[in-house]
Amino acid sequence: MPGIVVVGAQWGDEGKGKATDQLGDRVDYTVRYSGGNNAGHTLVVNGEKYALHLLPSGILSPTSTPVIANGVVIDLDVLFEEIDGLEARGVDTSKLLISANAHLIAPYHKVLDKVTERFLGNRRIGTTGRGIGPAYSDKINRLGIRVQDLFDAPILQQKVEAALEQKNHLLVKVYNRRAIDPAEVADELLAHADRVRPMVTDVVRVLNDALDRDLVVLFEGAQAHHLDVDHGTYPYVTSSNPIAAGACTGAGVGPTRIDRTIGIMKAYTTRVGEGPFPTELLDADGEKLRTDGAEFGTTTGRNRRCGWFDALVVEAAVTANAFTDMFLTKLDILTGWEKIPVCVAYEVNGERTDTLPMTQTDFHHAVPVYEYLDGWTEDISGCRTFDELPRNTQAYVRRLEELVRCRISGIGVGPSREQVVMLNDLL
């Protein structure tokens, strides 16, 4: 089964790196196919913590070739800062491949992202301010700048001028900011051309050739299903398609190339930014989950909003992504609770629904219906088989499996890569 997609089943921060770690040295290519440096992956390898934002997790594997595909938007300053940081720690990044068709985040994208959020006030989306949305907007409006444009300075200059023609009017006349000089932007981008050139290749050809040779290609989704621009809690979403199907357009592989889709779900629920969150806890319980789970954004450092596990949210992701397996993370954080609530339905306008509401309005007004499962007090961080888990812990896992309608093949019981209980092989 050479083509595997890993996707978050909630609102991100589920711990996707935990699942990719279990595939280990059997992965030949690790591919980022969507998003930008608004994503964040925290990995713990040999006791060392690595925070990745733009690079795929395969950058830490000596046997895997890391790939940034065409569906990603790239901030070159961030890319090379991240590469330099890893190289300083002894990580070899020389195998990194970048699609010539990937779009670039220009300085004006970041400026527009931040001023627009401030302008929206209470209607803000809660973006990271990294320029992701404006870069994707330019891509769709056919005003985008791609990696390949770095190798043709006159073309790059023309494209920057075209992109700024309208944006400068907006910055000056609406946002009361100074205009941005196209020549300065072009020079800033061109300064990276020589360094990035050896990494740039025809990623579509590389990946399809690899799949033809039955090599294992792991497609790593940034963010998560419910942040997908088409299928998430719009408009409080990202600007790309992190769902499993997004791997096809974001990396240039056909749907028949995908053999397995793995959904990642946290044992409770978190999200960063604005938007509806039915099981959110605004009390001491929520603060305990945040503290015990170290729920602070890898990219932004913002406090994550915390709440109980929402089976309807995950089941909707299972349906749309056709997950073959689920990986449950941070189960150890729930140790010590006498009773653990799990959302099994909503009440909307006095009526019960067992599936995610169709409209944004209904979802915003959804009131969770909880089922209370028995907790456990035993330390599970040392467990390595399912039978070693306490009886109530096993019951919690099996109940989640029933509710989301997909088998759970792996369980994270601690922050280190070896703190895992595997029920089924992910390959």
Side-chain angles (χ1 to χ4, degrees):
M1 292 189 174
I4 305 169
V5 186
V6 175
V7 180
Q10 294 156 315
W11 280 288
D13 307 309
E14 298 92 351
K16 291 178 282 294
K18 197 73 168 179
T20 58
D21 269 348
Q22 302 316 303
L23 298 169
D25 296 340
R26 295 177 291 175
V27 175
D28 299 293
Y29 289 85
T30 308
V31 186
R32 268 288 303 274
Y33 62 84
S34 69
N37 58 299
N38 56 338
H41 299 287
T42 301
L43 303 174
V44 180
V45 181
N46 297 326
E48 287 198 59
K49 182 181 288 187
Y50 297 87
L52 305 177
H53 304 281
L54 190 54
L55 294 169
S57 61
I59 198 78
L60 299 177
S61 171
T63 61
S64 180
T65 298
V67 179
I68 297 176
N70 59 275
V72 178
V73 289
I74 303 172
D75 185 325
L76 291 171
D77 289 329
V78 172
L79 174 68
F80 290 122
E81 181 181 344
E82 199 164 320
I83 287 174
D84 291 343
L86 290 177
E87 291 281 357
R89 298 176 67 180
V91 177
D92 179 16
T93 64
S94 62
K95 293 193 295 181
L96 176 65
L97 301 179
I98 299 174
S99 171
N101 291 336
H103 281 245
L104 296 177
I105 298 173
Y108 49 80
H109 290 135
K110 290 179 277 189
V111 171
L112 282 167
D113 200 355
K114 291 172 183 175
V115 298
T116 301
E117 277 286 277
R118 285 198 291 269
F119 185 80
L120 287 171
N122 291 335
R123 294 179 290 111
R124 65 188 181 275
I125 304 300
T127 75
T128 60
R130 302 302 204 265
I132 311 299
Y136 276 116
S137 294
D138 274 4
K139 177 179 179 177
I140 299 304
N141 287 326
R142 297 177 292 276
L143 288 170
I145 297 168
R146 298 187 292 177
V147 170
Q148 60 182 277
D149 296 327
L150 294 174
F151 313 134
D152 189 332
I155 287 292
L156 178 68
Q157 180 71 34
Q158 292 175 27
K159 289 190 173 185
V160 171
E161 289 174 356
L164 280 173
E165 187 174 357
Q166 183 186 53
K167 291 178 177 63
N168 272 334
H169 286 290
L170 185 65
L171 285 168
V172 173
K173 297 175 181 177
V174 177
Y175 297 129
N176 196 30
R177 298 289 295 263
R178 69 177 181 85
I180 295 173
D181 184 354
E184 289 182 6
V185 172
D187 288 344
E188 187 174 330
L189 293 172
L190 287 169
H192 296 292
D194 289 341
R195 187 174 183 186
V196 79
R197 189 188 296 270
M199 307 173 188
V200 179
T201 190
D202 183 349
V203 162
V204 172
R205 179 69 58 187
V206 169
L207 295 179
N208 280 281
D209 285 350
L211 291 165
D212 285 341
R213 290 183 287 139
D214 288 331
L215 298 180
V216 177
V217 179
L218 174 67
F219 299 92
E220 187 175 79
Q223 289 92 36
H225 171 87
H226 289 283
L227 292 176
D228 187 279
V229 69
D230 286 297
H231 302 282
T233 47
Y234 190 90
Y236 305 101
V237 293
T238 193
S239 302
S240 60
N241 293 113
I243 62 167
C248 297
T249 54
V253 298
T256 55
R257 296 291 204 176
I258 307 302
D259 300 288
R260 180 166 285 187
T261 54
I262 302 170
I264 315 301
M265 61 183 188
K266 197 176 288 184
Y268 47 100
T269 311
T270 63
R271 80 173 295 178
V272 172
E274 309 299 322
F277 184 175
T279 65
E280 182 174 14
L281 296 168
L282 301 174
D283 56 12
D285 287 347
E287 188 57 39
K288 178 174 170 55
L289 286 175
R290 182 179 300 110
T291 302
D292 292 352
E295 296 297 349
F296 308 98
T298 302
T299 297
T300 63
R302 289 182 291 182
N303 288 350
R304 293 174 185 150
R305 301 158 64 191
C306 297
W308 299 119
F309 186 86
D310 190 327
L312 280 70
V313 163
V314 177
E315 190 276 337
V318 169
T319 299
N321 291 274
F323 289 136
T324 56
D325 303 83
M326 299 301 295
F327 196 105
L328 180 66
T329 64
K330 289 199 168 184
L331 185 58
D332 54 301
I333 302 303
L334 295 183
T335 298
W337 297 86
E338 183 178 351
K339 293 286 184 179
I340 305 174
V342 172
C343 177
V344 297
Y346 300 141
E347 279 192 6
V348 181
N349 299 323
E351 294 187 7
R352 176 176 170 133
T353 176
D354 298 318
T355 59
L356 213 62
M358 181 180 68
T359 68
Q360 176 186 341
T361 298
D362 282 351
F363 190 46
H364 179 75
H365 291 101
V367 177
V369 176
Y370 287 115
E371 179 177 307
Y372 294 85
L373 303 180
D374 291 331
W376 60 92
T377 58
E378 300 92 334
D379 180 7
I380 66 171
S381 62
C383 296
R384 297 295 178 267
T385 67
F386 190 73
D387 289 340
E388 290 178 317
L389 294 172
R391 182 178 300 175
N392 287 349
T393 314
Q394 294 182 28
Y396 185 80
V397 172
R398 291 307 186 198
R399 182 56 178 146
L400 296 194
E401 201 170 44
E402 292 172 355
L403 290 168
V404 306
R405 300 192 300 120
C406 185
R407 71 177 187 175
I408 293 174
S409 292
I411 304 167
V413 293
S416 298
R417 67 193 316 174
E418 69 273 7
Q419 290 181 293
V420 169
V421 172
M422 294 302 300
L423 289 77
N424 302 288
D425 193 354
L426 296 178
L427 262 181

